[in-house]
Amino acid sequence: MSSVGTNIPHDSAVGHVSGGSVYIDDMAPLRGELIVDFVWSPVAHGRIRGIDFGDAASFGHLFTYRDLHHNLFGAIIQDEFLLAEDVVSFIGHPIVVIAAESRALIRKAKAAIKLDIEELEPVFTIDEAKRRRLFIGKTMTIKRGDVDAAFASARNIHEGTFINGGQDHFYLESQAALAVPGEFDQLTVHSSTQNPSEVQDVIAHLLGLPINKVTVVTKRMGGGFGGKECQATHPAAIAALVAHKLKRPARIAYSKDDDMCVTGGRHPFQNDYRVAFDDDGVITAAQIDFFSDGGAFADLSTSVLGRALTHADNAYYLPNALIRGTVCRTNLPPNTAFRGFGGPQGIATIENILEEIAVLLKLDPLEVRRRNCYGIDDRNITPYGQVVRNNHLPQLFDEIAERGEYSSRLAEVRQCNATSRTHLRGIACTAVKFGISFNTKFLNQANALVNVYLDGSVQVSTGATEMGQGVNTKIRQIVADEFGIDAERVLLMPTSTEKNNNTSATAASSGADLNGSAAADACRKIRARMAAVAAEYFERAGCGEASADDVVFENGEVFDRRKPDPRVAFAALVKMCHLERVSVGERGFYSTQGLDWDVDKGCGAPFLYFTQGVAISEVEIDRFTGMMRVRRCDLLMDIGKPINPGIDRGQITGAFIQGMGWLTNEELRRDAKGNVLSHSPTTYKIPNIQDVPPVFNVDWIDAENPLNIRSSKAVGEPPLVLAISVWMAVKNALSFLTNGEIPKLHAPATGEEILTRMTSYRHAQHGGDAREVAAPQL
């Protein structure tokens, strides 16, 4: 029986619920270990005039940028200073590193250090960055057709601005690292990172070491969501600096408050759009200008923006399109990768456009989406020139409308809004067509190491990092299936740059795709050698001439398909191979084929395939308070053939709820100086169990995906985007108050945002008489 396609438990499930899973700060203290922290900038933008260290050195060891071999680094654009030199660029910018025997001594050292900083004028908004022309990288463009001509002949034209805020990753395990010095200036760094190879490279660069002297190990993360793809390098490098200089182990672990203050999150976007469309709501031209808030340094902002542009079409055909994007530089912590990586911001914009077209034309928004949906044999080429193959979107729209009882529920929503004085309801259906692959071509590669031992057990090492998403479990199933053994016989080892070199981040929903394929490649090479040994054995056993091509690995046994008897146990065959001096260890490699993306020209095929889905969400709003609750959500997706259906279901539901948080609950608030006000669970509201819809239907269609391993599709990021249906349902509800005008709504649609909008509409309806603006009377 195949392991692939079955619901085996997550390999860390028992450890997670019992407390046995080991994270960085659970690792036992080492002899001579130091605790590490840092003093950061209390101002968003300023010039350092001086640092008075006082008696801080009596409490611990102090380091500044002068102790680094290099200070400047960056994943794409090298513009970031690990430790501030002359200028601080955001509140939280590290200035002085402190290493001490205890946290109490660190607090004393911090109190002793006095910073003399001349405050400079900061930039906190996209509008101000645009006004001052503070940008990161160059403007990116995707263009198709004749946009000007289409607008000139348009029946209808609409324009507006879509604004969505940022989001904190709120991983349960904050940023953490443990650096251990070794002989010959070697360092072993245990890092909670999605990208061990980048951490290795950055540490070597900043400390002036060859890369081979730095080994980075990642057992697991307590959540990542993109926040540990690039920004895990900072604490790891700081701990490595201390370990390298003092030749003592050094551990750093941010508190939740500090983590939320000094790290960046999801990019806020402010997108201007102008669309032309006919009287049926079919778009004939679209011009969209994306502006993202990159924060103080580039980080991954240019790549995030690139994915936003390639998802500006989402599930809909745009015959004429001009899509541009620019990253704005502000004095906030550098924003970074976040589940969806720019895709959600692009998709939300086009979904908002379609919703507004429906309001303007007084049409059913679902019907407008159907009319604009990508076709099967025509109207199936994206603005950047990639053909949408294996398109199930029309089928998904039809099925969700039936399964989700859209028509009858829409009538109920209208009836409720016409009769209820206390509540307001809304319903919306949105889609996702999410491209799977890194937009940067060279990142689409992976390697794996597979070792088979004499008892038939197997160790697997890949570049994939486990952050709770179940990638290790899926790779176990793939390897077990290749050898025809039980998944319990396969063990995934901690990710280490010593075993897997030059790896890509576990990101872009491609961890299982890339690393699972590399592991399968290694298994097939081993299996081919083992099959040759087995064929010789079967010949000697009197089965006649045998061929390795006819050898089958199944249910822990190996046999010749032509003559199933005799059979040999898998472990016994491993021993035979060992005695015959045949290797049962191998490296595997995989690179995604068929990708062709020119970022400068904005054209090509950046994705191997698209994960698709649709969702219907219904919300209810309290007219008095603006409090919103989600009544029901129906999700239907094309995820190919799941490697582990249970894990994929968990990824779909978890991503959707996280998307709901981004769009409804999670609001990052700052004061006029740029200080984060919502930096703890008491002030920053992530979804809890009460926010899960009481009716929550999740399903997928039966579909093939021959382009990927085991016909599976990635599910890490795409379902998050379906939560746009919840935000759109809020907008749909507000449309019942606006007398046919488009309701204004920013994301996140918090209770305060909703109440403000409802109040303004009531104010307008009563001719501006403030006495009539109070909540409606029963």
Side-chain angles (χ1 to χ4, degrees):
M1 179 180 175
S2 173
S3 291
V4 170
T6 60
N7 286 322
I8 73 169
H10 189 292
D11 66 345
S12 297
V14 173
H16 288 347
V17 299
S18 65
S21 296
V22 177
Y23 298 92
I24 299 294
D25 224 19
D26 295 321
M27 297 174 68
L30 300 174
R31 185 174 183 177
E33 182 181 300
L34 294 168
I35 304 298
V36 181
D37 202 344
F38 54 87
V39 174
W40 72 60
S41 171
V43 302
H45 192 203
R47 183 172 291 106
I48 300 175
R49 290 185 293 210
I51 303 175
D52 181 0
F53 292 98
D55 61 348
S58 64
F59 304 114
H61 306 272
L62 310 179
F63 304 90
T64 67
Y65 74 91
R66 293 183 176 86
D67 296 293
L68 293 166
H69 188 270
H70 296 289
N71 191 24
L72 192 65
F73 72 107
I76 301 172
I77 300 171
Q78 291 203 331
D79 68 340
E80 182 164 4
F81 294 94
L82 178 69
L83 302 178
E85 297 184 1
D86 302 318
V87 174
V88 290
S89 300
F90 62 95
I91 293 175
H93 197 169
I95 301 174
V96 181
V97 174
I98 304 171
E101 304 287 344
S102 68
R103 297 194 183 278
L105 291 174
I106 284 178
R107 288 193 291 270
K108 290 182 179 181
K110 280 187 173 183
I113 296 172
K114 308 299 180 186
L115 303 174
D116 181 9
I117 299 177
E118 174 193 358
E119 290 196 50
L120 304 174
E121 184 181 1
V123 175
F124 293 138
T125 67
I126 289 174
D127 283 335
E128 182 61 15
K130 288 166 64 177
R131 187 185 70 80
R132 294 171 60 174
R133 302 199 61 77
L134 297 174
F135 303 126
I136 297 173
K138 60 184 179 181
T139 296
M140 304 178 196
T141 302
I142 294 173
K143 184 177 182 180
R144 175 170 62 186
D146 192 334
V147 174
D148 292 338
F151 275 111
S153 61
R155 293 274 298 174
N156 307 283
I157 295 176
H158 172 58
E159 60 185 30
T161 300
F162 177 77
I163 297 174
N164 65 265
Q167 183 182 22
D168 189 86
H169 297 92
F170 215 91
Y171 26 66
L172 293 182
E173 179 200 26
S174 295
Q175 300 280 3
L178 171 62
V180 183
E183 297 180 356
F184 315 118
D185 282 333
Q186 293 178 71
L187 288 168
T188 298
V189 181
H190 299 270
S191 175
S192 182
T193 177
Q194 296 172 237
N195 198 347
S197 287
E198 182 179 12
V199 172
Q200 177 192 37
D201 183 71
V202 169
I203 288 173
H205 168 70
L206 296 178
L207 299 184
L209 298 172
I211 295 176
N212 67 351
K213 290 199 173 184
V214 181
T215 299
V216 176
V217 180
T218 301
K219 170 64 175 176
R220 62 168 59 86
M221 289 162 276
F225 310 118
K228 296 175 181 176
E229 179 176 348
C230 199
Q231 297 198 357
T233 57
H234 304 63
I238 287 171
L241 168 65
V242 173
H244 180 61
K245 291 290 185 179
L246 301 179
K247 305 303 179 187
R248 295 174 63 179
R251 186 190 308 249
I252 186 170
Y254 294 1
S255 69
K256 178 54 65 180
D257 293 85
D258 287 355
D259 194 303
M260 295 184 72
C261 288
V262 307
T263 63
R266 188 184 297 281
H267 290 73
F269 270 63
Q270 183 171 305
N271 307 327
D272 301 324
Y273 54 86
R274 185 168 179 253
V275 289
F277 50 96
D278 64 21
D279 291 338
D280 291 326
V282 177
I283 294 175
T284 56
Q287 179 177 320
I288 306 175
D289 286 284
F290 290 95
F291 294 94
S292 70
D293 182 345
F297 301 121
D299 198 277
L300 295 168
S301 293
T302 53
S303 287
V304 169
L305 181 70
R307 185 168 282 263
L309 266 64
T310 54
H311 286 74
D313 60 322
N314 190 28
Y316 312 105
Y317 179 70
L318 304 177
N320 301 284
L322 176 59
I323 306 165
R324 295 176 295 209
T326 307
V327 180
C328 298
R329 191 186 297 273
T330 63
N331 293 112
L332 297 174
N335 287 312
T336 190
F338 203 130
R339 198 175 195 170
F341 203 80
Q345 294 94 321
I347 291 170
T349 302
I350 190 67
E351 291 289 352
N352 181 65
I353 288 171
L354 290 164
E355 193 77 17
E356 294 187 346
I357 288 174
V359 173
L360 286 170
L361 297 178
K362 296 181 172 54
L363 297 172
D364 178 3
L366 175 54
E367 187 58 34
V368 171
R369 287 179 169 86
R370 277 173 160 161
R371 292 171 182 173
N372 284 280
C373 183
Y374 274 111
I376 306 298
D377 298 316
D378 61 355
R379 292 172 55 85
N380 64 345
I381 301 176
T382 67
Y384 45 90
Q386 181 163 2
V387 177
V388 182
R389 305 187 189 280
N390 302 318
N391 180 17
H392 293 287
L393 287 165
Q395 174 190 349
L396 290 167
F397 268 123
D398 289 344
E399 286 199 27
I400 197 66
E402 182 178 350
R403 294 190 188 199
E405 305 168 300
Y406 178 79
S407 296
S408 61
R409 289 168 60 199
L410 177 60
E412 291 174 4
V413 165
R414 289 171 174 167
Q415 178 65 20
C416 171
N417 292 340
T419 58
S420 176
R421 300 293 305 277
T422 59
H423 290 87
L424 193 65
R425 290 184 185 175
I427 189 170
C429 177
T430 62
V432 61
K433 174 186 67 64
F434 201 92
I436 304 300
S437 291
F438 287 97
N439 276 39
T440 303
K441 185 175 180 179
F442 76 85
L443 295 176
N444 295 286
Q445 60 177 302
N447 61 74
L449 174 64
V450 175
N451 289 323
V452 183
Y453 292 91
L454 293 178
D455 63 352
S457 63
V458 182
Q459 280 187 354
V460 183
S461 300
T462 76
T465 54
E466 177 63 57
M467 61 196 92
Q469 84 280 34
V471 66
N472 283 352
T473 305
K474 287 187 175 183
I475 295 174
R476 280 178 65 205
Q477 290 176 269
I478 291 169
V479 169
D481 202 48
E482 290 291 337
F483 288 130
I485 60 178
D486 192 280
E488 291 297 321
R489 303 291 289 162
V490 181
L491 181 67
L492 266 290
M493 305 305 292
T495 307
S496 171
T497 57
E498 181 183 11
K499 294 179 181 177
N500 299 99
N501 60 315
N502 309 327
T503 59
S504 298
T506 304
S509 301
S510 61
D513 290 11
L514 294 175
N515 294 279
S517 296
D521 178 61
C523 292
R524 289 163 189 166
K525 293 174 182 176
I526 296 171
R527 196 179 64 202
R529 295 195 291 267
M530 293 181 69
V533 173
E536 291 181 4
Y537 169 78
F538 293 136
E539 282 191 17
R540 293 195 301 269
C543 298
E545 185 177 348
S547 168
D549 294 336
D550 292 318
V551 173
V552 177
F553 290 71
E554 186 177 279
N555 295 329
E557 295 180 321
V558 184
F559 58 90
D560 188 318
R561 74 175 76 251
R562 298 167 307 167
K563 293 183 179 180
D565 291 315
R567 296 174 177 237
V568 61
F570 178 80
L573 180 58
V574 172
K575 291 181 180 177
M576 289 183 200
C577 292
H578 185 64
L579 293 174
E580 294 294 330
R581 296 179 297 176
V582 172
S583 172
V584 287
E586 188 62 77
R587 295 189 65 82
F589 182 78
Y590 173 78
S591 63
T592 308
Q593 301 301 301
L595 303 181
D596 180 23
W597 173 241
D598 189 324
V599 65
D600 294 323
K601 294 180 180 179
C603 65
F607 307 117
L608 179 62
Y609 62 86
F610 296 97
T611 296
Q612 303 167 348
V614 289
I616 295 175
S617 293
E618 183 181 345
V619 303
E620 184 174 77
I621 299 169
D622 189 309
R623 291 179 185 251
F624 294 90
T625 65
M627 189 183 81
M628 184 273 292
R629 70 183 184 96
V630 183
R631 289 170 48 85
R632 174 177 170 178
C633 292
D634 296 82
L635 280 61
L636 184 64
M637 300 194 70
D638 164 25
I639 59 171
K641 302 287 188 182
I643 292 173
N644 187 311
I647 284 177
D648 282 0
R649 183 175 295 275
Q651 284 290 284
I652 293 171
T653 56
F656 184 85
I657 298 301
Q658 188 172 44
M660 279 177 48
W662 166 49
L663 293 166
T664 64
N665 291 338
E666 300 179 38
E667 186 175 28
L668 288 166
R669 286 292 189 96
R670 301 180 187 273
D671 65 17
K673 293 285 190 179
N675 292 288
V676 179
L677 299 176
S678 50
H679 57 76
S680 73
T682 59
T683 51
Y684 184 81
K685 187 180 185 304
I686 64 170
N688 58 33
I689 192 64
Q690 286 84 6
D691 294 307
V692 176
V695 180
F696 194 13
N697 300 313
V698 175
D699 203 356
W700 49 80
I701 62 175
D702 185 18
E704 298 283 346
N705 180 32
L707 295 173
N708 195 39
I709 187 165
R710 296 296 191 274
S711 202
S712 64
K713 281 192 173 184
V715 296
E717 295 170 299
L720 181 141
V721 180
L722 292 178
I724 293 170
S725 61
V726 175
W727 186 88
M728 216 61 68
V730 175
K731 186 158 185 165
N732 174 257
L734 294 179
S735 70
F736 288 94
L737 301 177
T738 58
N739 295 324
E741 294 184 6
I742 294 172
K744 302 297 181 184
L745 184 68
H746 294 166
T750 62
E752 182 179 13
E753 168 75 7
I754 295 170
L755 183 61
T756 299
R757 299 301 177 182
M758 289 196 301
T759 302
S760 67
Y761 299 144
R762 289 196 292 266
H763 184 82
Q765 290 169 4
H766 289 86
D769 188 343
R771 294 171 298 177
E772 301 292 339
V773 179
Q777 299 299 308
L778 291 175

